[in-house]
Amino acid sequence: MMGIMRSIWKGSIAFGLVNVPVKVYTATEDHDIRFHQVHAKDGGRIKYDRVCQVCGNSVQFADIDKAYTSPDGDQVVLTDTDFSKLPAAEKHEIPVLEFVPSDQIDPVLFEKSYYLEPDSTTPKAYQLLAATLERIDKTALVHFTLRQKTRLAALRVRDGVLVLQTLLWPDEVRAVEFPSLEDAPAPRPQELKMAETLVESMSGDFDPSEYTDEYQIELQKLLDEAIASGTGKVVPAAETEPAEQADAEVVDLVAALQRSLESSGRREAAPAKPAKKPAKKAAKKAAPRKSATSKSTASKTATRKGA
């Protein structure tokens, strides 16, 4: 059953000089059944204690700092104050860096997906950005800061809703070299033809609802039978607090778009057909920002890995 969606982040998308207030929601959820460890003898739950290896005492979470050990064995301890000094993008802004062809983003870079909801009484700016992305068939590259970590992300449209997908940094994707493939013989034409025929016979349109997690279904069935037989015990879930609701200012789209066009070198903008051309001009205006932001991101990445 789908859980109640609650926003995990609030801010705005910086699209040229247009401000798009949004709320961010996690787009996916894990339905795997969770287990905890118990004592086989009496069924008591196993608890874990944070024990200091120096003094042997239990340590509260508030008294724990983060430490890094270098390859030479040197340990560096950092506090929250140290982390706050590191470069990061604006915590409540998602700046659009540039627009790129969607097919140029390798799917291996995709990490986690989020839904974006308009956080305004008049979601005109939200609808404008979504319609623009659909018409130009491009993906917006943005910066997204969540939990003190700035990520590169892709912004696209799915069923009329803006979707933000965080991306891995290029150096986080492993290079692959398999010697067994270097000297492998190429497939023969007859083999290729037969394989293509087989593929064609197994081809169809993708429908996710046709596929189910049989393991989880059978596992749930096993648990339900154990509960029905009296060997299990149901523990009610804890209640959670309702989502916080807030409103944001509505931007003057025409004025903001006009200023974005003027700052990009164009003094006049055609009043008709505003969806496709302003998006490209906004991308040109955002390009210089990308250069500066990229330097900051590179510095951030080097600082983080150096730490």
Side-chain angles (χ1 to χ4, degrees), residues 84-284:
S84 65
K85 298 176 182 178
L86 298 177
E90 172 60 40
K91 293 183 179 180
H92 298 287
E93 182 180 89
I94 303 176
V96 175
L97 308 178
E98 66 175 341
F99 296 88
V100 300
S102 300
D103 58 3
Q104 291 185 0
I105 303 179
D106 192 331
V108 75
L109 295 173
F110 289 119
E111 188 177 19
K112 194 171 179 61
S113 300
Y114 301 90
Y115 289 135
L116 271 59
E117 178 190 18
D119 190 19
S120 174
T121 55
T122 306
K124 192 173 182 180
Y126 182 101
Q127 293 174 315
L128 172 64
L129 179 56
T132 302
L133 287 174
E134 285 187 329
R135 290 187 60 177
I136 64 176
D137 191 24
K138 289 189 176 182
T139 298
L141 291 182
V142 302
H143 271 159
F144 178 49
T145 300
L146 182 65
R147 301 183 185 95
Q148 296 183 338
K149 182 179 180 181
T150 300
R151 299 162 171 84
L152 184 66
L155 183 66
R156 62 183 184 87
V157 181
R158 181 177 185 267
D159 298 332
V161 176
L162 291 176
V163 176
L164 186 146
Q165 292 177 280
T166 55
L167 303 175
L168 298 172
W169 297 105
D171 60 355
E172 292 179 320
V173 178
R174 291 178 173 178
V176 58
E177 293 182 1
F178 294 144
S180 59
L181 293 176
E182 296 178 359
D183 301 328
R188 294 180 298 176
Q190 182 181 5
E191 295 171 336
L192 285 173
K193 185 176 180 180
M194 294 179 64
E196 291 173 358
T197 302
L198 178 60
V199 169
E200 185 63 27
S201 67
M202 300 173 62
S203 298
D205 294 327
F206 177 58
D207 183 2
S209 63
E210 295 181 355
Y211 302 90
T212 56
D213 189 347
E214 294 296 335
Y215 177 85
Q216 294 297 322
I217 293 176
E218 292 299 322
L219 177 59
Q220 186 63 59
K221 181 180 177 181
L222 178 64
L223 294 173
D224 292 340
E225 292 176 351
I227 294 174
S229 63
T231 59
K233 181 180 180 181
V234 179
V235 179
E239 296 183 357
T240 54
E241 297 181 358
E244 180 183 357
Q245 297 181 351
D247 195 6
E249 292 187 9
V250 178
V251 297
D252 187 344
L253 284 179
V254 176
L257 289 171
Q258 183 65 43
R259 290 197 300 270
S260 297
L261 292 171
E262 291 176 353
S263 62
S264 65
R266 292 293 299 272
R267 295 300 177 185
E268 297 181 359
K273 301 179 182 179
K276 188 172 183 179
K277 294 185 178 180
K280 293 184 177 180
K281 295 183 178 70
K284 293 180 180 179

Side-chain angles (χ1 to χ4, degrees), residues 39-56:
H39 188 189
K41 181 179 179 180
D42 53 23
R45 293 195 62 165
I46 304 299
K47 295 184 179 181
Y48 296 91
D49 193 10
R50 301 180 180 90
V51 178
C52 175
Q53 293 183 353
V54 176
C55 64

